[in-house]
């Protein structure tokens, strides 16, 4: 005699989990030299580079291209959006990601020291104009007042990291 095994009713098909769309960027920090006699800019605090697109402030970032690591994308985006060609990753390849936003997007940020305040908002070839409307080098306190909650968390992390906290 064969024993009949009842099969479970099939559960409804679940859609596959949405893949997060990763963008990658750099938190550019300019650290003024300790001694700058007769310097026109007499600031002693680190300065953070923010870019504005419409009413939204952020750090330089963009999509990760096929065959590119997130860190490579972050450095490429820094150069494409600001003409800054070098960022010293003093704190290594440590990164922080934002919470998911805008339909599955996540932004990953690295922290890099830059040795220039010179920024050029370069034209995006697809747009025929720069992606951003304005840039500002600002102190931590001023950056906190410009950034929204999601990116402010990245700023706070970068500030703590660079202070050894």
């Amino acid at each position: 005699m064969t024993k009949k095994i009842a099969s479970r009713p099939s559960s409804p098909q679940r859609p596959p989990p949405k893949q997060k769309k990763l963008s990658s960027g750099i938190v550019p920090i300019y650290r003024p030299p300790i001694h700058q006699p007769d310097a026109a800019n007499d600031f002693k605090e680190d300065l953070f580079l923010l870019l504005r697109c419409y009413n939204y402030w952020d750090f330089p970032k963009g999509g990760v291209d096929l065959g590119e690591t997130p860190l490579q994308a972050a450095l490429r985006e820094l150069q494409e959006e600001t003409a800054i060609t070098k960022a010293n990753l003093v704190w290594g390849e440590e990164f922080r990601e934002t919470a998911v936003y805008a339909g599955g997007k996540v932004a990953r940020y690295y922290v890099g020291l830059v040795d220039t305040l010179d920024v050029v908002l370069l034209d995006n070839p697809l747009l025929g104009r720069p992606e951003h409307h304005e840039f500002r080098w600002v102190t931590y306190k001023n950056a906190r007042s410009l950034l929204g909650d999601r990116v402010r968390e990245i700023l706070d992390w970068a500030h703590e990291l660079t202070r050894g906290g």
Side-chain angles (χ1 to χ4, degrees):
M1 186 169 175
T2 322
K3 193 173 188 181
K4 196 169 186 182
I5 301 174
S7 61
R8 289 178 19 187
S10 62
S11 58
Q13 286 281 336
R14 291 186 185 161
K18 276 190 177 180
Q19 283 251 309
K20 64 182 180 184
K21 172 126 175 75
L22 183 66
S23 62
S24 194
I26 296 280
V27 177
I29 298 175
Y30 178 81
R31 182 165 281 171
I34 295 172
H35 300 289
Q36 274 189 328
D38 302 322
N41 295 326
D42 190 25
F43 47 80
K44 304 293 185 238
E45 294 181 62
D46 287 351
L47 297 177
F48 295 83
L49 177 61
L50 299 181
L51 304 178
R52 181 181 62 81
C53 183
Y54 299 100
N55 292 325
Y56 187 76
W57 290 92
D58 201 344
F59 300 109
K61 75 169 185 339
V64 179
D65 291 342
L66 191 61
E68 191 175 46
T69 68
L71 179 56
Q72 289 169 331
L75 293 167
R76 175 183 51 76
E77 288 291 336
L78 177 67
Q79 184 170 354
E80 286 179 1
E81 294 183 354
T82 69
I84 295 174
T85 59
K86 199 170 53 168
N88 186 356
L89 302 174
V90 176
W91 300 275
E93 296 183 20
E94 188 167 341
F95 63 85
R96 180 65 52 99
E97 292 183 348
T98 64
V100 177
Y101 67 100
K105 294 181 183 179
V106 172
R108 174 180 295 183
Y109 293 94
Y110 301 87
V111 178
L113 280 181
V114 298
D115 61 3
T116 183
L117 292 171
D118 295 331
V119 173
V120 177
L121 298 178
L122 298 170
D123 283 351
N124 177 318
L126 298 175
L127 300 174
R129 62 172 173 74
E131 289 179 52
H132 301 93
H133 301 99
E134 179 183 0
F135 72 88
R136 288 187 196 172
W137 286 103
V138 294
T139 63
Y140 169 71
K141 180 180 175 185
N142 289 338
R144 285 196 102 253
S145 70
L146 291 171
L147 293 170
D149 292 341
R150 181 174 43 82
V151 182
R152 190 179 303 121
E153 289 180 18
I154 300 299
L155 172 71
D156 291 343
W157 162 75
H159 186 254
E160 282 299 310
L161 180 69
T162 60
R163 293 289 160 222

